[in-house]
């Protein structure tokens, strides 16, 4: 069922006679068989509007006049709750809308509310507060039969609209605002159908993203929000980079950073656990003989997944590639000189003129050089063994929570030792290909055109080239772009598909990929030492207000699981509300030290908006 409230408007437009504002979700064109209209004003004055609407849907009309009182308002407000679409019509020239403004302000309906306005600009200002809760506003300036019919036709996609406002209306709409609405059909689905308010979800996220683009928080990105498996918000925004002004498309892929840990490495671990090929309390030295005589010999799979193994969090493997004799002074320093002019942080500069040790790097691939780090940059294949040996020689820390890239690199080595194949090949075989994921992969330049891969960063200090199609993380680069901690590329759609499979307890599109008991274990387990889950990050419910210790919004339920990525990404799944939220950006483009997304907590604020829209 649906409800319509109509307002009759005066001279607002210069050329066009009909303008659509807002249209969040989008709610227009309407696709409904039952519609409610609340007509405010002289009875019968909007007869043509109502009769045209009745051609497209079963219509229930509620009339409000100057004689209506509080009991009438209460009854109408209660009756409207049973409708799925509401349109409000106010004939401003026949009634003083100020008498009804309190009623309109108080409406809190589960349905999206569409206003059709035939009145003066003054009327729009008077209705500013209720219009703030509108999913869409249709504005025309004359009360004629032709315009009444056209307004009704626009609501149901039988006519187009492309008008613009001639001047700013309060704080809601600016001069030249106007959504182009083309005639055509709609799938009819809006966030309200799934318990979210589109005027909060869509408008506030759109406003936040627009401001973030203006503040150069990131060049562009993708956002996808699924509720009950349905897309309630799905938008691309901005451009590929600050210099490549190609608009971001839904098929473009991003370096997702540490989301690799859940959408790649953890999946492989879960599959091996599921198949009985490893246990969570197995020692990693069981599978990695090189660690049996080291201080890592007793580290377990479970400890690595919880990020509390005591393994050092990060190592600069590439330092073993650099010829120290060619480095003038330290490799990093806090000021510019003739040797250090590549900026890598707010106050940090890397040595820009150095050479690699002979025999480690080649400009061409061969049997010896198989690990590609960048354009015309290939690393010796045996360096992968060097990485493991280097990890084995490092000191251990306390067994407390600290996010560890090295821990997930070790998990990758475990996966490859058990499966006897590269981790990316194993994931392709077990998950990506059977699930139909064509845009989730490591080393994307091997399969996807560069124009469909979002640039990551400019002039990376190690490879001394722009990073576009190669993993940003240096440790992952030293492993040829396939690593347990980073290296995966994907888009919001396919990241969400993997998390949909997890929320469905291992089943996706009729096929089973993991046992439901395996998914339940990994999705619900929480460390006794920290907020972390088995491979997943989780809300820090014991320290919700410390943003340095919490990657989630304060409003996030404790059951949520997911991960963030250094490149400006996140994915969170909420099993209680059957909600998935994915955000991708390249916030490190062009400057790797751009941390505005962290300081402004853009990803977390979007998450807050989602839960606010569900109240």
């Amino acid at each position: 069922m649906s409800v319509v409230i109509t307002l009759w408007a005066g001279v607002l437009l210069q050329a066009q006679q009909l303008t659509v504002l807002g249209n969040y979700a989008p709610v227009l064109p309407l696709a409904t068989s039952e519609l409610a209209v609340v007509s405010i004003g002289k009875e019968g004055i909007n007869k043509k509007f109502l009769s045209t609407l009745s051609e497209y849907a079963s219509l229930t009309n509620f009339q409000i006049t100057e004689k209506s009182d509080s009991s009438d308002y209460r009854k109408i407000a209660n009756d409207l709750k049973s409708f799925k679409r509401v349109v409000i019509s106010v004939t401003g020239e026949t009634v003083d809308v100020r008498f009804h403004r309190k009623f309109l302000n108080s409406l809190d309906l589960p349905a999206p509310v569409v206003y059709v306005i035939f009145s003066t600009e003054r009327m729009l200002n008077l209705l500013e507060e209720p219009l703030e809760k509108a999913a869409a506003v249709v504005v025309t300036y004359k009360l004629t039969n032709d315009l009444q019919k056209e307004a009704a036709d626009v609501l149901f996609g039988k006519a187009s609209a492309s008008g613009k406002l001639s001047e700013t209306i309060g704080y809601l709409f600016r001069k030249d605002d106007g959504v182009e609405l083309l005639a055509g059909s709609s799938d009819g689905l809006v966030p309200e159908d799934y318990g979210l308010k589109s005027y909060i979800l869509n408008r506030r996220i759109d406003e936040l993203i627009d401001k973030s683009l203006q503040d150069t928080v990131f060049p562009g990105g993708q956002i996808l929000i699924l509720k009950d498996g349905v897309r309630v918000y799905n938008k691309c925004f901005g451009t590929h980079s600050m210099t490549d002004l190609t608009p971001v498309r839904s098929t473009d892929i991003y370096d997702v950073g540490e989301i690799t840990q859940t959408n790649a490495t953890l999946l492989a671990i879960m599959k091996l656990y599921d198949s009985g090929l490893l246990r969570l309390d197995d020692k990693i030295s069981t599978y990695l003989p090189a660690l049996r005589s080291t201080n890592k010999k007793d580290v377990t799979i479970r400890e690595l997944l919880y990020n509390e193994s005591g393994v050092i969090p990060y190592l600069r493997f590439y330092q073993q590639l650099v010829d120290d004799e060619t480095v003038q002074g330290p490799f990093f320093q806090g000021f510019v000189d003739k040797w250090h002019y590549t900026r890598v942080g707010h106050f940090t500069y890397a040595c820009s003129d150095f050479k690699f040790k002979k025999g480690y790097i080649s400009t061409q691939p061969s049997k010896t050089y198989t690990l590609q780090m960048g354009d015309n940059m290939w690393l010796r294949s045996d360096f992968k063994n060097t990485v493991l040996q280097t990890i084995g020689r490092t000191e251990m820390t306390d067994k407390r929570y600290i996010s560890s890239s090295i821990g997930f690199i070790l998990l990758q080595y475990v996966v490859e030792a058990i499966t006897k194949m590269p981790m990316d090949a194993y994931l392709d075989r077990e998950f990506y290909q059977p699930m139909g994921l064509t845009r989730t992969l490591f080393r994307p330049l091997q399969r996807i055109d560069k124009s469909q891969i979002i640039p990551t960063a400019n002039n990376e200090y190690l490879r001394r080239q722009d990073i576009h199609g190669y993993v940003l993380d240096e440790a992952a680069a030293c492993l040829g772009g396939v690593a347990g901690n980073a290296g995966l590329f994907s888009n919001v759609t396919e990241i969400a598909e993997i998390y949909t499979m997890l929320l469905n307890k291992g089943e996706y599109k009729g096929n089973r990929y993991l046992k439901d008991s395996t998914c339940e274990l990994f999705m619900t387990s929480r460390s006794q030492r920290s907020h972390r889950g088995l491979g997943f990050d989780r809300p820090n419910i014991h320290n919700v207000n410390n943003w340095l210790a919490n990657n989630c919004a304060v409003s996030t339920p404790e059951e949520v699981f997911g991960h963030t990525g250094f490149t400006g990404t996140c994915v969170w799944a909420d099993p209680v509300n059957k909600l998935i939220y994915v955000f991708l950006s390249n916030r490190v483009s062009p400057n790797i030290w751009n941390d505005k997304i962290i300081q402004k907590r853009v990803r977390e604020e979007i998450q807050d908006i989602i839960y606010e829209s569900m109240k």
Side-chain angles (χ1 to χ4, degrees):
M1 296 169 67
S2 303
V3 179
V4 180
I5 301 177
T6 313
L7 296 95
W8 308 101
V11 179
L12 256 182
L13 312 175
Q14 294 174 334
Q16 298 88 358
Q17 293 184 335
L18 198 145
T19 297
V20 176
L21 301 169
N23 198 28
Y24 310 116
V27 66
L28 300 179
L30 295 173
T32 182
S33 59
E34 296 184 4
L35 187 66
V37 178
V38 178
S39 299
I40 301 180
K42 184 178 178 181
E43 189 169 0
I45 199 169
N46 60 342
K47 181 178 179 181
K48 184 63 177 178
F49 178 69
L50 297 176
S51 63
T52 306
L53 290 176
S54 66
E55 296 176 9
Y56 307 129
S58 174
L59 197 66
T60 301
N61 184 44
F62 299 87
Q63 185 69 48
I64 292 179
T65 68
E66 58 185 7
K67 297 180 180 179
S68 299
D69 57 23
S70 58
S71 62
D72 297 320
Y73 294 146
R74 284 194 299 270
K75 184 179 187 309
I76 291 174
N78 187 62
D79 290 345
L80 291 180
K81 292 179 180 179
S82 63
F83 290 87
K84 292 185 178 180
R85 299 293 182 273
V86 175
V87 179
I88 299 185
S89 161
V90 178
T91 57
E93 303 305 320
T94 67
V95 68
D96 190 340
V97 75
R98 288 175 296 183
F99 291 113
H100 310 294
R101 189 167 50 191
K102 184 177 180 180
F103 161 69
L104 296 175
N105 289 347
S106 68
L107 282 179
D108 186 16
L109 302 175
V113 176
V114 177
Y115 281 81
V116 180
I117 301 180
F118 299 85
S119 188
T120 63
E121 293 175 8
R122 175 175 174 272
M123 180 65 68
L124 289 175
N125 285 305
L126 288 174
L127 292 169
E128 195 165 30
E129 189 171 348
L131 289 182
E132 189 173 9
K133 298 180 181 180
V137 180
V138 177
V139 182
T140 186
Y141 70 94
K142 289 182 180 179
L143 181 54
T144 65
N145 284 340
D146 287 344
L147 285 173
Q148 289 188 48
K149 181 181 186 305
E150 184 179 356
D153 288 341
V154 165
L155 291 184
F156 278 89
K158 306 301 181 182
S160 300
S162 58
K164 305 291 182 183
L165 285 181
S166 64
E167 57 184 82
T168 295
I169 305 299
Y171 60 85
L172 283 181
F173 304 116
R174 314 303 296 175
K175 181 181 178 182
D176 295 325
D177 276 359
V179 178
E180 184 176 9
L181 189 64
L182 300 177
S185 61
S186 166
D187 61 14
L189 299 177
V190 296
E192 280 82 355
D193 295 328
Y194 299 91
L196 299 91
K197 295 188 182 298
S198 57
Y199 74 86
I200 295 177
L201 182 74
N202 296 70
R203 186 180 71 221
R204 288 190 51 193
I205 292 179
D206 289 354
E207 290 173 350
L208 176 60
I209 293 301
D210 287 344
K211 188 176 188 309
S212 297
L213 293 173
Q214 293 171 15
D215 294 343
T216 63
V217 177
F218 33 65
Q222 303 169 344
I223 301 176
L224 176 61
I225 302 168
L226 300 182
K227 180 70 168 68
D228 299 329
V230 176
R231 299 179 181 187
V232 294
Y233 189 100
N234 182 26
K235 290 186 181 180
C236 299
F237 51 90
T239 59
H240 279 208
S241 70
M242 297 300 183
T243 55
D244 181 354
L245 301 184
T246 303
V248 176
R249 300 155 296 202
S250 61
T251 52
D252 292 332
I253 62 173
Y254 283 81
D255 178 341
V256 302
E258 286 76 7
I259 289 179
T260 302
Q261 296 178 16
T262 64
N263 284 44
T265 315
L266 182 59
L267 282 184
I269 292 292
M270 291 174 73
K271 187 66 175 180
L272 294 174
Y273 173 87
D274 198 75
S275 305
L277 297 176
L278 65 75
R279 294 170 298 180
L280 295 182
D281 292 317
D282 285 348
K283 298 176 181 179
I284 58 172
S285 58
T286 302
Y287 308 103
L288 305 176
L291 299 181
R292 290 175 186 170
S293 60
T294 73
N295 55 9
K296 315 293 184 309
K297 65 181 185 298
D298 293 326
V299 170
T300 68
I301 302 291
R302 188 188 302 273
E303 289 174 334
L304 292 176
L305 290 171
Y306 278 145
N307 282 265
E308 54 191 33
S309 64
V311 172
I312 195 168
Y314 195 78
L315 286 168
R316 293 190 174 102
F317 301 111
Y318 63 82
Q319 289 182 327
Q320 299 179 64
L321 307 176
V322 175
D323 184 350
D324 291 335
E325 294 184 1
T326 67
V327 178
Q328 300 293 328
F331 196 85
F332 300 103
Q333 68 181 31
F335 58 92
V336 178
D337 61 23
K338 66 179 181 179
W339 298 289
H340 301 78
Y341 50 82
T342 301
R343 188 176 178 184
V344 298
H346 285 293
F347 307 104
T348 307
Y349 298 84
C351 179
S352 308
D353 297 315
F354 67 86
K355 289 182 172 57
F356 291 106
K357 293 177 181 176
K358 290 184 179 179
Y360 279 90
I361 301 292
S362 172
T363 59
Q364 300 291 331
S366 67
K367 291 182 180 179
T368 301
Y369 298 94
T370 61
L371 303 176
Q372 189 172 17
M373 299 179 69
D375 289 337
N376 304 314
M377 189 174 182
W378 297 80
L379 179 61
R380 291 174 59 101
S381 56
D382 60 4
F383 194 75
K384 192 169 180 179
N385 294 327
T386 302
V387 167
L388 184 59
Q389 293 165 4
T390 302
I391 295 172
R393 293 193 297 268
T394 60
E395 296 296 322
M396 294 284 283
T397 64
D398 295 336
K399 288 185 180 293
R400 57 185 174 82
Y401 166 66
I402 181 168
S403 183
S404 175
S405 294
I406 301 305
F408 272 80
I409 288 175
L410 286 173
L411 289 171
Q412 171 201 355
Y413 279 92
V414 169
V415 169
E416 295 179 342
I418 295 174
T419 63
K420 308 299 182 186
M421 60 194 303
M423 187 174 72
D424 59 330
Y426 180 68
L427 289 164
D428 272 343
R429 188 188 76 185
E430 298 296 329
F431 293 98
Y432 302 157
Q433 290 187 19
M435 290 179 69
L437 306 182
T438 61
R439 309 192 80 74
T440 298
L441 70 170
F442 294 87
R443 299 177 295 187
L445 289 169
Q446 295 183 357
R447 284 191 253 168
I448 293 180
D449 190 89
K450 195 172 186 178
S451 65
Q452 300 173 43
I453 305 172
I454 301 294
T456 308
N458 289 3
N459 192 28
E460 192 264 349
Y461 67 93
L462 174 65
R463 287 161 281 185
R464 293 177 286 194
Q465 59 182 261
D466 293 345
I467 303 303
H468 188 177
Y470 301 101
V471 60
L472 176 66
D473 183 87
E474 300 92 347
C478 288
L479 292 169
V482 180
N485 68 311
L488 192 69
F489 286 71
S490 191
N491 60 13
V492 290
T493 300
E494 296 197 356
I495 289 175
E497 290 185 69
I498 289 174
Y499 270 74
T500 297
M501 180 269 290
L502 294 172
L503 284 185
N504 289 341
K505 302 294 181 66
E507 189 173 329
Y508 183 71
K509 292 183 177 179
N511 297 314
R512 180 158 291 283
Y513 297 90
L514 294 166
K515 295 175 183 176
D516 57 0
S517 58
T518 298
C519 293
E520 183 71 17
L521 172 67
F522 281 79
M523 285 162 41
T524 60
S525 295
R526 188 186 296 268
S527 169
Q528 294 182 352
R529 292 192 179 104
S530 76
H531 65 284
R532 290 285 299 209
L534 279 173
F536 294 109
D537 197 2
R538 304 181 71 94
N540 191 340
I541 59 175
H542 301 297
N543 205 357
V544 293
N545 293 314
N546 184 349
W547 65 270
L548 289 173
N550 202 345
N551 289 320
C552 286
V554 173
S555 57
T556 308
E558 63 178 294
E559 294 86 357
V560 165
F561 60 92
H563 219 282
T564 58
F566 176 82
T567 50
T569 62
C570 74
V571 54
W572 298 105
D574 180 344
V576 175
N577 294 293
K578 298 181 180 178
L579 180 78
I580 296 174
Y581 157 48
V582 189
F583 177 97
L584 298 182
S585 76
N586 52 336
R587 63 99 180 173
V588 290
S589 173
N591 302 318
I592 195 171
W593 63 89
N594 177 16
D595 61 0
K596 292 178 183 177
I597 195 173
I598 300 170
Q599 299 300 326
K600 295 177 182 291
R601 292 184 63 77
V602 175
R603 293 168 291 187
E604 295 83 357
E605 188 170 343
I606 292 173
Q607 197 171 31
D608 252 336
I609 292 171
I610 295 170
Y611 285 105
E612 183 179 344
S613 75
M614 295 170 61
K615 291 180 180 177

Short mmCIF file of all heavy atoms in Angstrom, two decimals, residues 258-262 307 403 408 499 532 535-538 551 561-565 569-572:
data_model
loop_
_atom_site.label_atom_id
_atom_site.label_comp_id
_atom_site.label_asym_id
_atom_site.label_seq_id
_atom_site.Cartn_x
_atom_site.Cartn_y
_atom_site.Cartn_z
N GLU A 258 44.21 -4.89 3.34
CA GLU A 258 44.11 -6.00 4.30
C GLU A 258 42.78 -6.73 4.27
O GLU A 258 42.62 -7.73 4.99
CB GLU A 258 44.40 -5.49 5.71
CG GLU A 258 45.86 -5.19 5.98
CD GLU A 258 46.32 -3.87 5.33
OE1 GLU A 258 45.47 -3.13 4.78
OE2 GLU A 258 47.53 -3.59 5.36
N ILE A 259 41.83 -6.29 3.44
CA ILE A 259 40.64 -7.13 3.22
C ILE A 259 41.07 -8.46 2.60
O ILE A 259 40.36 -9.47 2.71
CB ILE A 259 39.61 -6.39 2.33
CG1 ILE A 259 38.98 -5.25 3.12
CG2 ILE A 259 38.52 -7.33 1.83
CD1 ILE A 259 37.97 -4.43 2.33
N THR A 260 42.27 -8.49 2.01
CA THR A 260 42.86 -9.74 1.53
C THR A 260 42.85 -10.80 2.62
O THR A 260 42.66 -12.00 2.35
CB THR A 260 44.32 -9.48 1.09
OG1 THR A 260 44.33 -8.47 0.07
CG2 THR A 260 44.98 -10.74 0.55
N GLN A 261 43.04 -10.38 3.86
CA GLN A 261 43.15 -11.34 4.96
C GLN A 261 41.87 -12.14 5.16
O GLN A 261 41.91 -13.31 5.54
CB GLN A 261 43.55 -10.61 6.24
CG GLN A 261 44.94 -9.98 6.14
CD GLN A 261 45.33 -9.20 7.37
OE1 GLN A 261 44.73 -9.36 8.44
NE2 GLN A 261 46.35 -8.35 7.25
N THR A 262 40.70 -11.51 4.92
CA THR A 262 39.43 -12.23 5.09
C THR A 262 38.92 -12.82 3.79
O THR A 262 38.34 -13.90 3.78
CB THR A 262 38.34 -11.32 5.69
OG1 THR A 262 38.03 -10.27 4.78
CG2 THR A 262 38.79 -10.75 7.01
N ASN A 307 45.72 -12.73 15.93
CA ASN A 307 46.74 -11.68 15.95
C ASN A 307 47.36 -11.52 17.35
O ASN A 307 47.59 -10.41 17.82
CB ASN A 307 46.17 -10.33 15.49
CG ASN A 307 46.03 -10.24 13.98
OD1 ASN A 307 46.91 -9.72 13.29
ND2 ASN A 307 44.93 -10.76 13.48
N SER A 403 47.89 -6.16 15.52
CA SER A 403 47.61 -6.53 14.13
C SER A 403 48.91 -6.86 13.42
O SER A 403 49.85 -6.05 13.39
CB SER A 403 46.89 -5.38 13.43
OG SER A 403 46.57 -5.75 12.10
N PHE A 408 49.73 -13.19 8.91
CA PHE A 408 48.94 -13.68 7.78
C PHE A 408 49.82 -14.13 6.62
O PHE A 408 49.40 -14.98 5.82
CB PHE A 408 47.93 -12.61 7.36
CG PHE A 408 46.64 -12.70 8.13
CD1 PHE A 408 46.55 -12.17 9.40
CD2 PHE A 408 45.54 -13.37 7.60
CE1 PHE A 408 45.38 -12.27 10.13
CE2 PHE A 408 44.37 -13.49 8.32
CZ PHE A 408 44.28 -12.94 9.60
N TYR A 499 31.01 -12.28 1.40
CA TYR A 499 30.42 -12.14 2.74
C TYR A 499 28.97 -12.63 2.77
O TYR A 499 28.49 -13.09 3.81
CB TYR A 499 30.53 -10.69 3.21
CG TYR A 499 31.82 -10.43 3.95
CD1 TYR A 499 33.02 -10.34 3.26
CD2 TYR A 499 31.85 -10.32 5.33
CE1 TYR A 499 34.22 -10.13 3.94
CE2 TYR A 499 33.03 -10.10 6.01
CZ TYR A 499 34.23 -10.01 5.31
OH TYR A 499 35.41 -9.81 5.98
N ARG A 532 39.28 -9.16 18.89
CA ARG A 532 39.43 -9.79 17.58
C ARG A 532 38.72 -11.14 17.50
O ARG A 532 38.57 -11.86 18.48
CB ARG A 532 40.90 -9.98 17.26
CG ARG A 532 41.66 -8.72 16.98
CD ARG A 532 41.37 -8.12 15.62
NE ARG A 532 41.71 -8.99 14.52
CZ ARG A 532 42.07 -8.55 13.31
NH1 ARG A 532 42.16 -7.26 13.07
NH2 ARG A 532 42.34 -9.39 12.35
N GLY A 535 40.47 -14.42 12.58
CA GLY A 535 40.78 -13.85 11.26
C GLY A 535 40.02 -12.59 10.94
O GLY A 535 40.43 -11.82 10.08
N PHE A 536 38.89 -12.37 11.61
CA PHE A 536 38.08 -11.19 11.39
C PHE A 536 38.37 -10.12 12.44
O PHE A 536 38.65 -10.44 13.60
CB PHE A 536 36.58 -11.53 11.47
CG PHE A 536 36.10 -12.43 10.38
CD1 PHE A 536 35.76 -13.75 10.66
CD2 PHE A 536 35.96 -11.98 9.08
CE1 PHE A 536 35.28 -14.60 9.67
CE2 PHE A 536 35.50 -12.82 8.08
CZ PHE A 536 35.16 -14.13 8.37
N ASP A 537 38.27 -8.87 12.04
CA ASP A 537 38.21 -7.78 13.01
C ASP A 537 36.77 -7.70 13.50
O ASP A 537 35.83 -8.13 12.80
CB ASP A 537 38.63 -6.46 12.35
CG ASP A 537 38.98 -5.39 13.37
OD1 ASP A 537 38.93 -5.68 14.58
OD2 ASP A 537 39.29 -4.26 12.95
N ARG A 538 36.59 -7.15 14.69
CA ARG A 538 35.26 -7.03 15.27
C ARG A 538 35.17 -5.71 16.03
O ARG A 538 36.20 -5.10 16.35
CB ARG A 538 34.97 -8.20 16.22
CG ARG A 538 35.11 -9.58 15.58
CD ARG A 538 34.79 -10.67 16.58
NE ARG A 538 33.38 -10.70 16.86
CZ ARG A 538 32.50 -11.49 16.23
NH1 ARG A 538 32.92 -12.30 15.29
NH2 ARG A 538 31.23 -11.47 16.54
N ASN A 551 37.81 0.13 14.74
CA ASN A 551 37.59 0.42 13.33
C ASN A 551 36.11 0.51 12.97
O ASN A 551 35.77 0.68 11.81
CB ASN A 551 38.26 -0.64 12.46
CG ASN A 551 39.77 -0.52 12.48
OD1 ASN A 551 40.31 0.58 12.47
ND2 ASN A 551 40.46 -1.64 12.53
N PHE A 561 31.29 -8.59 12.03
CA PHE A 561 32.66 -9.03 11.73
C PHE A 561 33.06 -8.52 10.35
O PHE A 561 32.21 -8.26 9.50
CB PHE A 561 32.78 -10.56 11.79
CG PHE A 561 31.90 -11.29 10.81
CD1 PHE A 561 32.36 -11.64 9.55
CD2 PHE A 561 30.59 -11.63 11.16
CE1 PHE A 561 31.54 -12.32 8.65
CE2 PHE A 561 29.76 -12.30 10.26
CZ PHE A 561 30.24 -12.65 9.01
N GLY A 562 34.36 -8.35 10.12
CA GLY A 562 34.82 -7.85 8.84
C GLY A 562 36.27 -7.44 8.91
O GLY A 562 37.06 -8.00 9.68
N HIS A 563 36.65 -6.42 8.12
CA HIS A 563 38.04 -5.95 8.13
C HIS A 563 38.13 -4.62 7.41
O HIS A 563 37.27 -4.27 6.60
CB HIS A 563 38.98 -6.96 7.47
CG HIS A 563 40.30 -7.08 8.17
ND1 HIS A 563 41.31 -6.14 8.03
CD2 HIS A 563 40.77 -8.02 9.03
CE1 HIS A 563 42.35 -6.52 8.77
NE2 HIS A 563 42.05 -7.65 9.40
N THR A 564 39.20 -3.89 7.71
CA THR A 564 39.53 -2.66 6.99
C THR A 564 40.79 -2.88 6.18
O THR A 564 41.51 -3.88 6.37
CB THR A 564 39.76 -1.49 7.96
OG1 THR A 564 40.81 -1.84 8.86
CG2 THR A 564 38.49 -1.17 8.73
N GLY A 565 41.08 -1.93 5.27
CA GLY A 565 42.28 -2.01 4.46
C GLY A 565 43.01 -0.68 4.44
O GLY A 565 42.39 0.39 4.39
N THR A 569 39.73 1.07 2.59
CA THR A 569 38.65 0.12 2.31
C THR A 569 38.10 -0.45 3.61
O THR A 569 38.73 -0.38 4.66
CB THR A 569 39.16 -1.04 1.44
OG1 THR A 569 40.18 -1.76 2.16
CG2 THR A 569 39.75 -0.52 0.13
N CYS A 570 36.92 -1.04 3.52
CA CYS A 570 36.39 -1.81 4.65
C CYS A 570 35.24 -2.67 4.17
O CYS A 570 34.59 -2.38 3.15
CB CYS A 570 35.93 -0.91 5.80
SG CYS A 570 34.38 -0.01 5.51
N VAL A 571 34.98 -3.74 4.92
CA VAL A 571 33.79 -4.57 4.72
C VAL A 571 33.36 -5.05 6.10
O VAL A 571 34.18 -5.48 6.91
CB VAL A 571 34.07 -5.76 3.78
CG1 VAL A 571 35.27 -6.60 4.24
CG2 VAL A 571 32.82 -6.65 3.68
N TRP A 572 32.04 -4.92 6.36
CA TRP A 572 31.48 -5.36 7.64
C TRP A 572 30.18 -6.10 7.39
O TRP A 572 29.34 -5.65 6.61
CB TRP A 572 31.22 -4.16 8.56
CG TRP A 572 32.47 -3.41 8.93
CD1 TRP A 572 32.88 -2.21 8.44
CD2 TRP A 572 33.48 -3.84 9.84
NE1 TRP A 572 34.08 -1.84 8.99
CE2 TRP A 572 34.48 -2.82 9.87
CE3 TRP A 572 33.64 -4.96 10.65
CZ2 TRP A 572 35.62 -2.91 10.66
CZ3 TRP A 572 34.79 -5.05 11.44
CH2 TRP A 572 35.76 -4.04 11.44
#
